[in-house]
Amino acid sequence: DSGVTQTPKHLITATGQRVTLRCSPRSGDLSVYWYQQSLDQGLQFLIQYYNGEERAKGNILERFSAQQFPDLHSELNLSSLELGDSALYFCASSRGPSSTPLHFGNGTRLTVT
Amino acid sequence: SQQGEEDPQALSIQEGENATMNCSYKTSINNLQWYRQNSGRGLVHLILIRSNEREKHSGRLRVTLDTSKKSSSLLITASRAADTASYFCATCRDDKIIFGKGTRLHILP
């Protein structure tokens, strides 16, 4: 058990809808990373937060947004969903702003129909 | 992009044999890490090698790093059925940790 909790485990929704994925980092970790994993694109880095502040941005679409709250949990909001957004979304946490290793949750599997 | 690229994409070997996976990347890095992912689950950190290190060992794992060639290799010795998984290299520069597409390793009984 990595100590990182992601909810929900599975999510099925329709195109055009909006969903929120939630992540609780490992106790004591201040950094949260979000990744999208699809079969054809591998593991894509979306965004990183450290202690509530955005730290680094990757290939995150404008339809997607995220935030990290004072209690350090994070949420990833996906809106105007498209079929191509179907993927596994992983959250990972680490102790510091650029420290590693990353501890991954078991992901949220999003299916857009 | 500094994304690492693993090679081969897939590898099948007999149990007990050694498995070697390679990773190439494009820009300078702070460190390089290897992770394992069992089917559909979260990635698990295996080993980290810093840019000023050339080789690192952890149990049956051996990682090398050649910054002049921008490449790394992961060697798993005496493979076991439980080693069947996907293996990813991740390059770390500044605050971005970028993963490659992985090598799918299958250990045959």
Side-chain angles (χ1 to χ4, degrees):
Chain A
D1 182 12
S2 68
V4 178
T5 303
Q6 287 189 249
T7 56
K9 290 184 180 180
H10 302 277
L11 200 49
I12 302 174
T13 189
T15 54
Q17 296 297 306
R18 172 189 168 95
V19 296
T20 298
L21 313 183
R22 182 188 168 100
C23 170
S24 293
R26 200 177 61 139
S27 178
D29 285 358
L30 300 179
S31 276
V32 169
Y33 299 74
W34 285 99
Y35 289 89
Q36 177 194 57
Q37 186 177 37
S38 56
L39 283 175
D40 57 343
Q41 292 295 320
L43 205 67
Q44 295 289 315
F45 169 66
L46 296 178
I47 199 163
Q48 183 215 357
Y49 284 85
Y50 172 71
N51 205 21
E53 298 291 326
E54 182 183 306
R55 187 81 180 188
K57 214 165 187 176
N59 301 322
I60 188 166
L61 299 173
E62 286 190 9
R63 300 184 286 108
F64 296 180
S65 64
Q67 54 183 327
Q68 187 180 28
F69 295 87
D71 67 352
L72 301 177
H73 92 271
S74 179
E75 292 182 356
L76 178 66
N77 301 296
L78 315 176
S79 61
S80 302
L81 285 167
E82 302 175 358
L83 296 177
D85 297 326
S86 295
L88 258 175
Y89 291 84
F90 285 106
C91 167
S93 70
S94 67
R95 194 70 60 177
S98 56
S99 61
T100 51
L102 297 183
H103 301 272
F104 278 79
N106 281 324
T108 293
R109 182 172 295 280
L110 173 66
T111 302
V112 182
T113 62
Chain B
S1 170
Q2 67 181 74
Q3 184 180 36
E5 291 289 338
E6 292 90 344
D7 170 59
Q9 291 186 338
L11 179 62
S12 292
I13 61 171
Q14 294 293 138
E15 191 168 11
E17 293 180 341
N18 296 341
T20 299
M21 288 157 272
N22 302 297
C23 171
S24 59
Y25 57 93
K26 296 179 181 177
T27 65
S28 62
I29 57 173
N30 301 120
N31 63 63
L32 186 143
Q33 305 147 62
W34 287 90
Y35 288 77
R36 183 187 74 225
Q37 183 183 32
N38 291 95
S39 181
R41 298 187 61 84
L43 281 71
V44 174
H45 179 263
L46 296 176
I47 197 164
L48 180 152
I49 186 164
R50 301 188 190 286
S51 59
N52 61 353
E53 297 175 311
R54 291 297 169 259
E55 188 171 311
K56 206 160 182 180
H57 297 255
S58 176
R60 294 184 296 114
L61 305 180
R62 173 182 167 242
V63 168
T64 62
L65 179 64
D66 187 334
T67 52
S68 66
K69 294 181 179 178
K70 292 186 171 57
S71 67
S72 173
S73 67
L74 170 67
L75 169 68
I76 303 174
T77 61
S79 62
R80 305 168 181 169
D83 296 328
T84 293
S86 291
Y87 292 82
F88 295 84
C89 70
T91 51
C92 179
R93 179 177 178 178
D94 301 325
D95 291 320
K96 292 186 179 181
I97 301 175
I98 306 296
F99 287 80
K101 293 189 177 182
T103 292
R104 295 187 307 279
L105 175 64
H106 185 55
I107 307 300
L108 304 168

